[in-house]
Amino acid sequence: MALQEQLNKFKKQQEKCQSTLSSITARPGTRTPAKHVPPPPAGARAPLPAVKFSDDTERLKYISSIRKAPVGAQMKRVIDLLFETRRAFTPEQINEACYVDMLSNKAVFDSLANNPKVYYDGQRFSYKSKHDVKDKNQLLKLIRSYTEGIAVIDLKDAYPTVMEDLQALKAAGQVWLLSNFDSQEDIAYPNDPKVPIKVDDDLKQLFRSIELPRDMIDIEKDLQKNGMKPSTNTTQRRLAAQIHGISQKPKLKKKKHEISKRTKLTNVHLPELFENLRSS
């Protein structure tokens, strides 16, 4: 009973102090003295900003939405992480990096372990490209092993800078990049004269059926239309010829000498040369 009376008395004292402080702050012109905060000692770390309860709640909601997503969506999230970083991750590290808890979701774990784009060594997961090349030299060696061409789409995921290296090889004249008429996809071919390249008969026939213009000026115009610089300048050459009075008439072919009876025969061991002579 005595304890209860002491508690009631203490509570009333607190209420009285609170009302006194409230009246002091409510007076006009009254300022609350600023509390002096000593500067932090040299070399001490700055205090981390306090995490608001609302921010932490949003983060937990975001993590929960990822873990409740379908298996395919969680797999894509992990594969994107492996592709972008090209590092090997344990399941715990994957959980920290992209919030996919593989240890608590057997379906995600088993699907990734058996995915053709993922390599699992029993401890860590890493990205597995279609062709195991790491730099430009290995890329060139791979393309040269495919004498009939290799699809560029199969090379895009080899390593992060593979497309830049492919364009550098093209600029250096070491590979060709041609489009496939059927699929409209680029095909990389080795530009090596030692490598035999098989050409389809249809392509040969198409090449031979193309009729070139008879005038050299028209040929040069067609080359320029297709972004190529002609090695000749027929217009300028003809203009210079007109200025200097050089005739542009075609040269007459020399008449072929035929063998007659008066010709001295020396090659008697080649009788086929003298058939015209015998008939006359």
Side-chain angles (χ1 to χ4, degrees), residues 74-255:
Q74 296 189 54
M75 288 176 58
K76 183 181 183 303
R77 191 171 180 85
V78 175
I79 292 174
D80 289 344
L81 171 69
L82 300 178
F83 174 77
E84 292 170 2
T85 60
R86 300 305 174 103
R87 290 168 46 201
F89 289 83
T90 63
E92 293 82 3
Q93 291 172 334
I94 290 175
N95 188 14
E96 293 177 2
C98 63
Y99 306 122
V100 176
D101 189 3
M102 299 172 58
L103 296 178
S104 300
N105 194 327
K106 188 176 184 300
V108 176
F109 189 101
D110 293 343
S111 299
L112 283 169
N114 297 304
N115 191 282
K117 289 291 184 182
V118 177
Y119 174 72
Y120 179 57
D121 62 0
Q123 292 183 341
R124 291 178 174 82
F125 293 85
S126 58
Y127 187 81
K128 182 171 67 176
S129 58
K130 186 169 184 178
H131 299 283
D132 186 20
V133 291
K134 306 298 183 185
D135 53 37
K136 186 166 65 173
N137 292 331
Q138 294 181 5
L139 177 64
L140 178 60
K141 185 177 180 180
L142 175 68
I143 296 174
R144 284 178 174 173
S145 65
Y146 285 80
T147 56
E148 296 187 7
I150 181 173
V152 174
I153 194 172
D154 293 337
L155 302 172
K156 285 185 176 181
D157 66 341
Y159 56 93
T161 60
V162 64
M163 296 307 296
E164 289 84 351
D165 288 345
L166 191 60
Q167 292 296 330
L169 292 174
K170 177 187 175 183
Q174 294 178 297
V175 300
W176 296 102
L177 293 180
L178 305 177
S179 296
N180 189 319
F181 291 104
D182 298 329
S183 60
Q184 298 298 321
E185 294 179 354
D186 288 341
I187 308 294
Y189 294 91
N191 184 17
D192 189 351
K194 298 178 183 178
V195 177
I197 298 178
K198 182 181 178 181
V199 181
D200 295 338
D201 293 336
D202 294 340
L203 184 59
K204 293 179 182 178
Q205 186 176 0
L206 178 64
F207 177 79
R208 291 166 182 165
S209 64
I210 298 175
E211 185 177 353
L212 295 177
R214 296 185 177 275
D215 196 334
M216 195 63 188
I217 295 179
D218 295 332
I219 295 177
E220 293 170 356
K221 288 180 180 179
D222 289 342
L223 291 173
Q224 291 173 348
K225 285 180 182 179
N226 290 277
M228 292 179 282
K229 184 179 180 181
S231 59
T232 59
N233 191 334
T234 305
T235 303
Q236 186 176 1
R237 181 168 54 84
R238 290 179 181 177
L239 182 62
Q242 291 178 0
I243 294 174
H244 294 88
I246 301 174
S247 176
Q248 293 295 315
K249 293 182 180 180
K251 294 181 180 180
L252 297 176
K253 293 184 179 180
K254 293 183 179 180
K255 187 177 180 181

